[in-house]
Amino acid sequence: MSTSNLLFVGMDVHKESVMMAVLPQGVGEARVERVMNDPRKLRRFFDRLGREGEIRACYEASGAGYVLHRWLSEWGLHCDIAAPSLTPTRRGQRRKHDKGDAIELARLYRAGELVLIRIPREAEERVRDLVRCRETFQRESTKSRHYILKFLRRRGLIYRDGHHWTQKHSRWLRALLSNGILTDEDAVVFGEYLALLEYKLARRDELERQIEELAVRPAYREAVGRLRCFRGLDTHSAMVLLSEIGDFRRFESPRELMAYVGLVPSEHSSGERERRGSITKAGNSHCRHVLVQAAWKYQHRPAVGDVLRRRQVGQPPGVVAHAWKAQHRLYKLFHRVAFRRPRQVAAVAVARELVGFVWAVLKDLEIERERAREQAA
């Protein structure tokens, strides 16, 4: 089929319906139609449209997920998903509605101005959602801790013998229920808050156990083992990076991966003036969070403790040496930046550099796997 018969379809997807905007190759006005978000009606629409030419469909990543993309792929149609944060916008545009969004998406798609995202396989998406579910319970546990501390503060009960949520602090909390300090009503409220926290922690621990079982499967075992050689990256952190990023081969350089996780500085330069600001945060927030948390570990002097030594047992010597090199370089970077900037800025700078070490290790793993496949063939 000639390219003159190409039809570009921009889709504005909602729960109940999909706004379709069809643009022909070259020039021409868009045809707009609203179709119910039902596989039978969508199939009927695309079958009718397919008689006019070859279809190129696209919609923006959203809460709709990848269901529509997988339907179209099953029907033998080409479909792409665009990154909404990187979609060009017109500064003077003040009207937003479904019809206009679909037409603009089709126009940008035809012009090749959209940034397309990688579509994970269904198995990858299930693993990713499981890892994200654990993060949800971690956030909920933090909220429950705040409920408890704020409730006790309103009653004038403040713990002053050390840090919160240590074993000693937990015994102090338990004692509040048994020593009669709280009235009947307050004891009920405090008991419910405490039970809610324990439930969330129990569910989080169960999810962590399931994630650890996934981490030893052939698809993740080698990569998780190599990432765990780095200070600050445990099994959960490694699974977050692997499940969120997916195929590392699509990043040709560490800078591309840094941009993907939003750890590159923003910039507003003009003429001879060059001005750079804070990081863009226009990327995967899950990866960025675990990388920044790991970066705080590098404020301490390079060392290999018992836990890290056990994680490095059986791993390739080159990876262990790479992780040791990272400790020295990132420790120096942290304190060099922290000398003149806030420590939070230093942690972000270390996280950005840590991305380069992670990229190198996983890139080497992909090369080894490629060589093994060639030898097997």
Side-chain angles (χ1 to χ4, degrees), residues 333-371:
L333 174 64
F334 186 97
H335 289 280
R336 186 169 68 249
V337 177
F339 180 76
R340 51 184 167 52
R341 301 289 297 277
R343 297 176 72 84
Q344 292 85 349
V345 177
V348 171
V350 169
R352 181 166 59 247
E353 290 293 316
L354 181 59
V355 171
F357 287 96
V358 169
W359 176 87
V361 166
L362 295 179
K363 194 75 171 181
D364 291 342
L365 177 60
E366 293 295 339
I367 293 174
E368 293 176 12
R369 288 175 174 174
E370 188 67 28
R371 289 174 180 172

Side-chain angles (χ1 to χ4, degrees), residues 139 183 223 256 299 348:
R139 291 193 300 270
T183 63
E256 293 184 7
Q299 64 182 307
V348 171

Side-chain angles (χ1 to χ4, degrees), residues 302-347:
V304 180
D306 293 338
V307 175
L308 183 57
R309 186 177 292 109
R310 287 195 296 268
R311 296 209 304 250
Q312 293 178 348
V313 171
Q315 297 303 319
V319 176
V320 176
H322 202 65
W324 181 242
K325 177 182 176 181
Q327 284 205 45
H328 284 274
R329 177 170 176 173
L330 299 182
Y331 169 76
K332 294 177 182 178
L333 174 64
F334 186 97
H335 289 280
R336 186 169 68 249
V337 177
F339 180 76
R340 51 184 167 52
R341 301 289 297 277
R343 297 176 72 84
Q344 292 85 349
V345 177

Side-chain angles (χ1 to χ4, degrees), residues 178-197:
S178 57
N179 58 16
I181 294 179
L182 299 174
T183 63
D184 293 341
E185 293 81 2
D186 285 350
V188 170
V189 174
F190 178 69
E192 292 298 330
Y193 278 149
L194 203 59
L196 180 61
L197 173 61

Side-chain angles (χ1 to χ4, degrees), residues 19 23 120 127 133 178 220 222 225 315:
M19 182 67 75
L23 273 177
V127 172
C133 184
S178 57
Y220 299 102
E222 287 184 293
Q315 297 303 319

